[in-house]
Amino acid sequence: MKATSAALAQHIDQECTTLAMCVKLILTKYQPAILRIYQVNPCVVETLWAHDYIDGDTIRIVGVRGPTALNNQEFTILRLNNYQFQINVDASGFPAYEGKGEARKVIAFTQFVRDLTLDF
Amino acid sequence: MALLTVKQAGGGDHTTIATALAAIGTTPGAGADDIVEVYNGTYLEGILNTLPSGTSWDHPFILRVAAGNTATIRKTGENNIRVYEPTSLAFFSSIDDFIFDGVNLTNDQVSFSAADSSPSSIRLRNPEFINTNNYNAIYVGTFCDDIRIEAPHIHGGDFIGVGNAAGRAHGIYLTGSNCIIEDFHIHDIPGFGVHQYSQHFPLPSNNIIRRGRVHNVGTESHIAAGVLVDSGTGTKVYQVVSYDNLGKDGDGGVGFVIKGAGNQGFNLTAYGNSFIGIDAQGSRSALIKNNIAFNNGQDTDFTGANGNGAPVALDQSNNLIGVDPLFTNPGAGDFTLQAGSPAIDIGTPIDGLAYTGAAPDAGAHERGLATLPVIDIIVTPNPIPPGGSGTVEWDTDGDTVDIPGVGDGLAPTGTAPLPPGQSLVTVQAHNVNGSSIAQQAVGEFAAGLLYRATVGYMPRSIKAGADLSVDNLEIEGLMVDKVRALAQGLLIQGLSNEDLQVGRFDHAKAEIFFVNYENPESRLILPGSGNIGQMKMKRGTYVAELRGKTIYLQQTIGDLYSKLCRAQIGDDITDYRVSGFGCHVRLDPPFWRSLQNYTVRPLYDAAKGSVVKPNVYNGRQFRCSVAGISGFTEPNWNLTIGATTVDEFGGTAEWITEQAMTVFGSVTQAWNKRFFKDAARNEPAVTGLGVNTGTAQYAIRALDQGAKWFEVDGDIASYFTTGTTFTINGSIGNDGTYTTTIASFTGDRTRITVSESIPDEEISGAITAPLTIPTGFFSYGKLTFLTGLNKGISKEVQDFKLAKYTIVDVDDGAKLFMVEGDQTAFFSVGQQFPVTNSTGNDGSYDIVSVTYNMGDDVTEIEVAQAIPDATVDGDILSGPGDFELFERMPFEIAEGDEYVVSAGCDWSKEMCKQKFDNIRNRRAEDEIPGMDIANLSPDRPTA
């Protein structure tokens, strides 16, 4: 049995009923492979095939060789074109990209009645 | 603030520029708000790392020619101006109104940056460049940022560059980023006007090249462009006229080259260029809009695939091409539009560009706007980070401006912070003729992740045990089928039935937590996380099964002894605790980069040394054979497999050419979801692999008693030559021996026609035939579609086969092989192909020429190597290549679909040695005995 966290215990003690469950899915299959990561600010990511992302989509970067600081980080993106998008990070000082990266789509849902924007 | 004057004849503070600059010094920021004014004269001195710096563009250092004076800088030696120290400094320095004379120079007139330095924020205003005899008038290096070149006039000189040849250098050679070149006039030079290109990272990006005229350039270059943008991303070229560029031979002049991912060319005018007006051939997602191309050798070239073989996705529209735009006087360089021009109001609005009428005009000049204010605005940063703030910088020709949210009646030039939350910055300027508006969209990164309120998914249960049992959670209703969701107005962004069918959600990582929606920051308690396992339909909705992290504790993880290699091809795992660690074959090596140390890739071990791929795909990769540093510029690769390329241009490394392990191509014919053909694919299998041994049973899938044929899966037609006998076993009524009349592959199955009658109509039994072992270069490799319905979906290649061409004649003296018919489409100069099944010519050959001899109806293939045997027999293997996938793609494969495929491995020792030269990383124990041997009992001892 998992241990109940202190935060949850406090919440229950106060008999609050404002908890909503959230689910975040990070897709892992058939996700756009990264062809290039430009060392610019904001960072530009170029994918091997059309990524289909739109402004505001969230992606998680994984598997990158070179600028490894990007790995397992999540970013909302600004679409530049079918193959490129910007992420909110200054990559001008990062090492050169050496391959193997993926830009995985992140989608999220909440049980709450309205959309919620959370810090990833 | 200090004002120092320089007068050669005396009477000023200094008589040389050098002493004036030295008085301020090069301490960062020492020149803030200082001005050095230079009076009439020709100054035989340069500014070599002595440029003072300011602290911001509001507090710059300025070196300028005094009003009403003319000052020329004419140094003898390398450069008139060179700035690369202190490195990485933002100078905020401006050099205004000088004439630069390169008659006594041996290198660029103005050079910013050295190999690894990055001076930034330097401005050249109103410079004139004459007699540029060696290299470029202005060179902006790779690491430069925020270099501003305003109103340069560049003309005259030899521009001797690479190879000590005239025309090999350019007016402005731009390899930096975030730079602005504007209001320029470049003409009568031997090289390109503006040349943005680099193979070095960071690539030149986000530059602005605008409001310029380029003409009569490239006079010593066979092909030359007025403006070339051919690498990097995000560069915009607009309101530029490029005309009458003819090239050295009168047929190589290009107005504009706009290539590279995401670069943009709009409101351009290309006229009278001898070769191409606007060349976006092979561009990837470039934007080409609102342009005029008229009276050029060829007005546009928007064709072709890019260097990666990926599809062209050129965003081009609203252009006037090949239609007389009614210029006012093009012969005199006046490309304004006359009334009634078909270019008027056919454009599409572009951020930041003002226009009159219903829509912008095409071309560089907006009719009717000349008398209205012209506004330049720059928003930085763009996009603005979440919660961050930006500034707007504006510049008009003396007209006051209004900026909502900032103020009204603002000065003609200025900078101001933007209020937060702006998505569109609007600047309106006024003069006696009216007002004009310029707008700039401000992208803004969304803050955080949006958790959508879905239709009320129902976590059915959360069960977590301490006994390592699986944490199970079914999330019902999370995935709503599209039709139902649409009917209820509940379409969930990012989800579709197709995604589910394709399996994009399989194994997705899931994180589940609670949040206090009254105070979302005060989350989070994690009741579970893991991976999506199975997705199924239940009561009209999708139900996702979540598998907890402890499921992995129930799985067998670890290495066991095995005869077949346990590594995954291409992985580079080095942790011995991970099962299958360490193949290290570089299927997709990193791009070659300049000024890097590379080491020798040794024999037998793919884990060590350097392997690179070119920055522009050429079907090859290169293994380092001599350690050293790479050059400033990518070498000209020798594409012959096994040949050596020396890293020229200052490098010392040497490279051996190899077949690329990852290649790009497109479908030329598809039969179904598993079989397709690429006519251009001709990679031969590695010689010596894949000897067919033993026999296998092939189940009969169809038969026709009347036509007397059987069909089996796959392509095994080569085992059934005419007269071959075979047996059928296990059938209801057709067991026996049959003789082959003919066998052919139908795209999915092999059909074997026999001479005997087929007694039973029941489809049953199996044919015994040799065991097929896929040997093609891409067999067992991973193939991913880049376009089409299957975009992004990968499947394993079951087999890759080349077509077999029977040699019908040999001319060993002329080194010719001949095959029947016109096969020129499948052979190309430089291609290597194998000859098999010959008496004495088996081996690999390089093609020198390919000719179709119509009289004899044969294709003559001339090879570089000697042909040792004149016997006419054997086969040539070449394209087209046929792919067979293990699994069906989810959607139909269509002609033209682009794909990328990697070399495959069958885990055998032979393949590890011969194909990948990687035996030291083989993860198998080839010599362990099999189960039969292991279970043998020793013989009873004899007395």
Side-chain angles (χ1 to χ4, degrees):
Chain A
M1 187 175 139
K2 290 186 192 297
T4 305
S5 76
L8 180 59
Q10 181 184 10
H11 204 79
I12 294 171
D13 289 346
Q14 293 171 357
E15 297 183 349
C16 293
T17 57
T18 57
L19 286 178
M21 183 176 279
C22 297
V23 175
K24 177 162 69 174
L25 295 179
I26 303 106
L27 306 194
T28 60
K29 284 197 78 174
Y30 308 140
Q31 296 302 292
I34 295 173
L35 179 64
R36 288 190 171 92
I37 294 177
Y38 292 86
Q39 295 157 290
V40 295
N41 183 23
C43 179
V44 174
V45 177
E46 184 175 341
T47 55
L48 188 55
W49 57 84
H51 53 69
D52 293 339
Y53 295 143
I54 60 174
D55 286 354
D57 275 356
T58 298
I59 56 107
R60 175 181 286 190
I61 290 179
V62 300
V64 164
R65 306 298 160 93
T68 53
L70 296 172
N71 279 335
N72 301 313
Q73 303 295 312
E74 290 172 11
F75 303 93
T76 56
I77 69 106
L78 281 175
R79 182 182 185 280
L80 293 176
N81 53 50
N82 290 340
Y83 293 90
Q84 294 181 313
F85 55 82
Q86 287 179 308
I87 57 175
N88 183 27
V89 64
D90 181 357
S92 55
F94 285 0
Y97 177 64
E98 294 184 1
K100 299 219 172 189
E102 279 185 18
R104 293 179 170 175
K105 188 180 182 84
V106 179
I107 53 178
F109 308 92
T110 178
Q111 199 181 25
F112 189 46
V113 294
R114 292 193 302 272
D115 293 348
L116 292 173
T117 300
L118 304 177
D119 185 18
F120 296 107
Chain B
M1 173 180 170
L3 175 62
L4 302 177
T5 57
V6 179
K7 298 182 179 177
Q8 281 185 321
D13 298 312
H14 297 271
T15 56
T16 67
I17 297 171
T19 56
L21 299 183
I24 296 172
T26 56
T27 303
D33 298 320
D34 291 344
I35 299 173
V36 172
E37 274 196 345
V38 180
Y39 283 72
N40 285 326
T42 297
Y43 293 80
L44 306 178
E45 56 179 323
I47 302 168
L48 305 181
N49 290 323
T50 56
L51 185 67
S53 57
T55 54
S56 70
W57 283 122
D58 291 332
H59 302 283
F61 166 76
I62 297 174
L63 170 65
R64 70 188 182 197
V65 178
N69 287 258
T70 301
T72 300
I73 293 179
R74 183 192 297 156
K75 185 178 178 294
T76 298
E78 286 209 341
N79 316 97
N80 278 327
I81 295 179
R82 187 170 71 217
V83 182
Y84 64 85
E85 290 179 342
T87 58
S88 304
L89 178 67
F91 276 78
F92 299 109
S93 300
S94 188
I95 303 168
D96 303 344
D97 305 318
F98 285 92
I99 296 171
F100 296 96
D101 187 345
V103 69
N104 296 323
L105 294 179
T106 60
N107 213 311
D108 306 309
Q109 291 225 45
V110 172
S111 176
F112 297 133
S113 175
D116 57 354
S117 65
S118 53
S120 63
S121 301
I122 302 173
R123 182 171 63 200
L124 283 170
R125 282 200 291 204
N126 306 314
E128 182 176 3
F129 291 84
I130 60 175
N131 302 319
T132 306
N133 286 340
N134 284 290
Y135 288 89
N136 311 286
I138 304 170
Y139 173 72
V140 181
T142 300
F143 301 95
C144 284
D145 193 84
D146 188 28
I147 302 297
R148 305 178 181 199
I149 304 169
E150 299 177 5
H153 182 193
I154 301 171
H155 59 106
D158 291 334
F159 289 78
I160 292 173
V162 176
N164 201 30
R168 299 296 297 270
H170 315 295
I172 300 174
Y173 198 133
L174 176 60
T175 65
S177 295
N178 303 306
C179 301
I180 297 176
I181 301 169
E182 61 186 8
D183 302 314
F184 53 93
H185 185 196
I186 303 172
H187 61 97
D188 296 294
I189 66 172
F192 290 51
V194 179
H195 186 282
Q196 176 185 307
Y197 178 76
S198 177
Q199 297 169 327
H200 311 151
F201 287 89
L203 299 175
S205 298
N206 301 324
N207 295 307
I208 293 174
I209 301 167
R210 63 185 177 190
R211 297 194 309 257
R213 279 196 297 156
V214 190
H215 58 96
N216 302 96
V217 302
T219 56
E220 289 296 327
S221 186
H222 294 291
I223 292 180
V227 177
L228 174 140
V229 174
D230 197 9
S231 60
T233 182
T235 289
K236 298 177 181 177
V237 186
Y238 59 92
Q239 294 178 330
V240 178
V241 181
S242 186
Y243 62 100
D244 294 344
N245 302 305
L246 304 180
K248 184 177 183 178
D249 305 318
D251 60 359
V254 180
F256 300 93
V257 177
I258 308 293
K259 298 183 180 180
N263 294 318
Q264 304 180 10
F266 46 89
N267 289 98
L268 305 174
T269 295
Y271 177 87
N273 301 291
S274 60
F275 185 20
I276 302 172
I278 301 173
D279 178 7
Q281 190 271 337
S283 291
R284 188 175 185 180
S285 301
L287 179 147
I288 308 288
K289 295 193 176 188
N290 299 3
N291 304 298
I292 295 174
F294 180 65
N295 197 32
N296 303 283
Q298 173 185 339
D299 283 318
T300 61
D301 186 351
F302 295 161
T303 62
N306 79 349
N308 295 308
V312 173
L314 189 67
D315 184 6
Q316 68 93 8
S317 66
N318 304 83
N319 301 301
L320 186 71
I321 298 167
V323 177
D324 188 348
L326 302 180
F327 293 131
T328 302
N329 189 356
D334 184 352
F335 293 91
T336 57
L337 304 174
Q338 299 182 55
S341 165
I344 293 173
D345 290 356
I346 68 166
T348 185
I350 302 286
D351 278 351
L353 293 192
Y355 62 90
T356 60
D361 301 341
H365 301 292
E366 175 77 15
R367 180 177 167 81
L369 195 64
T371 55
L372 295 175
V374 176
I375 312 163
D376 291 330
I377 58 174
I378 301 172
V379 176
T380 52
N382 193 359
I384 297 172
S389 59
T391 59
V392 56
E393 181 181 349
W394 68 92
D395 186 6
T396 70
D397 294 331
D399 306 311
T400 58
V401 302
D402 302 334
I403 305 177
V406 175
D408 294 338
L410 301 170
T413 302
T415 303
L418 284 168
Q422 293 234 335
S423 59
L424 187 67
V425 177
T426 302
V427 177
Q428 187 168 21
H430 314 272
N431 67 12
V432 294
N433 299 310
S435 64
S436 56
I437 292 175
Q439 293 182 315
Q440 177 75 59
V442 182
E444 186 170 5
F445 288 111
L449 175 58
L450 180 65
Y451 288 74
R452 290 190 176 275
T454 182
V455 288
Y457 69 81
M458 185 187 306
R460 293 171 57 82
S461 63
I462 302 175
K463 184 180 72 177
D467 57 355
L468 302 188
S469 61
V470 178
D471 296 351
N472 283 323
L473 170 64
E474 284 189 348
I475 307 171
E476 186 175 319
L478 180 63
M479 316 297 170
V480 179
D481 73 273
K482 208 170 190 175
V483 175
R484 187 163 173 263
L486 281 170
Q488 298 176 6
L490 294 169
L491 179 61
I492 300 171
Q493 185 177 356
L495 294 178
S496 71
N497 279 347
E498 289 176 355
D499 288 334
L500 295 167
Q501 291 162 4
V502 166
R504 283 202 171 86
F505 284 86
D506 293 351
H507 312 298
K509 292 182 181 299
E511 296 176 8
I512 303 174
F513 56 87
F514 289 109
V515 64
N516 176 3
Y517 55 79
E518 292 285 342
N519 181 15
E521 296 304 314
S522 72
R523 54 167 178 165
L524 308 162
I525 308 103
L526 284 170
S529 62
N531 289 67
I532 294 290
Q534 190 180 16
M535 195 84 78
K536 56 192 176 187
M537 285 291 293
K538 187 182 285 185
R539 293 193 300 276
T541 67
Y542 284 98
V543 177
E545 177 195 54
L546 183 74
R547 299 197 166 177
K549 288 180 176 176
T550 53
I551 192 171
Y552 298 109
L553 299 177
Q554 300 181 347
Q555 298 175 348
T556 302
I557 297 175
D559 272 3
L560 299 173
Y561 290 111
S562 63
K563 276 183 172 293
L564 291 179
C565 184
R566 299 180 296 280
Q568 294 296 317
I569 185 168
D571 73 29
D572 50 4
I573 298 167
T574 56
D575 189 337
Y576 68 92
R577 294 166 298 184
V578 179
S579 179
F581 70 99
C583 169
H584 299 289
V585 165
R586 259 70 68 88
L587 289 180
D588 189 21
F591 290 110
W592 176 96
R593 290 189 293 134
S594 62
L595 306 175
Q596 303 295 309
N597 281 310
Y598 288 111
T599 58
V600 174
R601 193 290 202 189
L603 294 175
Y604 316 126
D605 192 348
K608 296 175 181 173
S610 304
V611 181
V612 298
K613 64 182 175 184
N615 283 282
V616 177
Y617 171 74
N618 58 19
R620 299 288 184 263
Q621 62 184 36
F622 304 91
R623 62 189 289 171
C624 185
S625 58
V626 174
I629 193 168
S630 52
F632 286 96
T633 299
E634 190 164 347
N636 296 309
W637 299 107
N638 187 329
L639 301 185
T640 302
I641 291 173
T644 300
T645 299
V646 178
D647 214 321
E648 51 191 336
F649 307 122
T652 57
E654 293 186 15
W655 306 89
I656 299 290
T657 306
E658 294 182 333
Q659 167 63 51
M661 293 287 178
T662 297
V663 302
F664 296 83
S666 62
V667 175
T668 54
Q669 189 177 4
W671 291 281
N672 53 38
K673 295 177 181 177
R674 282 184 60 220
F675 291 88
F676 71 89
K677 181 192 297 284
D678 181 354
R681 189 91 285 133
N682 56 27
E683 288 80 359
V686 177
T687 306
L689 292 178
V691 177
N692 294 320
T693 56
T695 57
Q697 301 285 319
Y698 297 89
I700 295 171
R701 300 300 185 192
L703 61 80
D704 187 321
Q705 286 180 289
K708 296 199 288 189
W709 53 252
F710 298 98
E711 279 188 353
V712 297
D713 286 340
D715 182 6
I716 54 172
S718 60
Y719 301 135
F720 297 91
T721 54
T722 302
T724 303
T725 57
F726 62 91
T727 58
I728 292 178
N729 301 303
S731 69
I732 295 172
N734 289 330
D735 282 7
T737 301
Y738 295 84
T739 305
T740 306
T741 303
I742 191 170
S744 60
F745 180 55
T746 62
D748 199 352
R749 293 173 174 170
T750 297
R751 175 176 295 179
I752 306 151
T753 306
V754 297
S755 54
E756 295 82 2
S757 60
I758 300 174
D760 187 2
E761 66 179 6
E762 290 293 324
I763 299 171
S764 61
I767 292 174
T768 300
L771 175 66
T772 62
I773 302 175
T775 59
F777 191 79
F778 303 106
S779 298
Y780 302 114
K782 177 183 166 188
L783 185 141
T784 305
F785 278 95
L786 302 175
T787 62
L789 296 174
N790 295 300
K791 183 187 71 178
I793 297 172
S794 303
K795 298 292 180 188
E796 190 169 323
V797 178
Q798 180 169 332
D799 202 1
F800 170 75
K801 295 191 188 75
L802 294 176
K804 186 184 291 183
Y805 299 88
T806 302
I807 296 172
V808 296
D809 201 358
V810 172
D811 185 337
D812 54 343
K815 298 197 284 191
L816 291 176
F817 289 109
M818 278 154 268
V819 297
E820 192 172 335
D822 183 0
Q823 311 296 349
T824 52
F826 305 116
F827 295 91
S828 57
V829 175
Q831 176 189 333
Q832 291 179 322
F833 65 84
V835 170
T836 61
N837 303 322
S838 70
T839 302
N841 291 330
D842 282 8
S844 183
Y845 297 85
D846 297 306
I847 297 178
V848 174
S849 67
V850 181
T851 311
Y852 174 56
N853 183 334
M854 192 176 296
D856 297 335
D857 190 28
V858 294
T859 299
E860 298 175 347
I861 304 164
E862 182 186 2
V863 297
Q865 292 81 2
I867 299 177
D869 189 343
T871 307
V872 179
D873 61 0
D875 302 305
I876 291 174
L877 296 175
S878 185
D882 284 349
F883 284 98
E884 177 184 1
L885 306 177
F886 270 107
E887 296 178 274
R888 287 178 173 80
M889 300 302 290
F891 306 107
E892 292 296 335
I893 300 170
E895 182 180 335
D897 285 355
E898 309 272 351
Y899 67 86
V900 58
V901 63
S902 297
C905 178
D906 66 359
W907 311 284
S908 68
K909 186 176 181 180
E910 289 73 23
M911 185 162 282
C912 195
K913 284 167 63 178
Q914 297 181 40
K915 185 172 182 177
F916 299 109
D917 186 22
N918 190 36
I919 195 67
R920 285 192 176 155
N921 294 302
R922 179 164 169 75
R923 304 304 170 198
E925 292 70 34
D926 298 281
E927 308 305 327
I928 61 171
M931 290 300 291
D932 290 346
I933 299 297
N935 291 332
L936 278 179
S937 300
D939 292 340
R940 180 188 297 274
T942 56

